[in-house]
Amino acid sequence: MSLSDRLTELREAKKVSLQVVADAVGVSKTHVYELEKGSANNPSLSLLVGLSDFFEISIDDLVGNIVYQPAKLDVIRAFVSSDSIAVSHQSLGQYRRSILKLC
């Protein structure tokens, strides 16, 4: 998921306006709108920190980095090694979406 999609998702989930987010992180409403639409590139680290603080999530979560936890890896291993699918290096791509849903 892209930063723009994630920002929109988080803002809508929190039920706040663009202006509320902008005021909280110290940028213009237009800048937040551009971030959500993907037309603003390379936000500053301080802006990412402000957004992650506002939404109470990690920067990794904000920018869409998946942090694998051991319990999730066990579920993925069980899925991949199950008899219900045959996974080879070549066919792994088609199962990628199913595996990521487990995360």
Side-chain angles (χ1 to χ4, degrees), residues 24-44:
V25 298
V27 298
S28 69
K29 175 181 168 182
T30 303
H31 192 56
V32 175
Y33 175 80
E34 290 169 348
L35 286 169
E36 284 193 8
K37 296 306 170 200
S39 59
N41 296 324
N42 300 321
S44 69

Side-chain angles (χ1 to χ4, degrees), residues 8 31-32 55-56 63 66-67:
T8 303
H31 192 56
V32 175
F55 290 114
E56 299 176 334
V63 299
I66 297 171
V67 178

Side-chain angles (χ1 to χ4, degrees), residues 58-74:
S58 70
I59 292 176
D60 272 341
D61 193 12
L62 177 67
V63 299
N65 284 345
I66 297 171
V67 178
Y68 294 104
Q69 299 171 358
K72 290 182 180 181
L73 285 176
D74 291 340

Side-chain angles (χ1 to χ4, degrees), residues 1 3-25 28-37 51 54-57 62:
M1 177 178 286
L3 175 62
S4 60
D5 292 336
R6 187 71 173 123
L7 282 175
T8 303
E9 176 185 78
L10 290 166
R11 185 179 58 76
E12 289 175 352
K14 199 165 183 164
K15 298 179 182 175
V16 295
S17 68
L18 291 166
Q19 189 64 57
V20 169
V21 175
D23 291 343
V25 298
S28 69
K29 175 181 168 182
T30 303
H31 192 56
V32 175
Y33 175 80
E34 290 169 348
L35 286 169
E36 284 193 8
K37 296 306 170 200
L51 289 166
F54 177 76
F55 290 114
E56 299 176 334
I57 60 173
L62 177 67

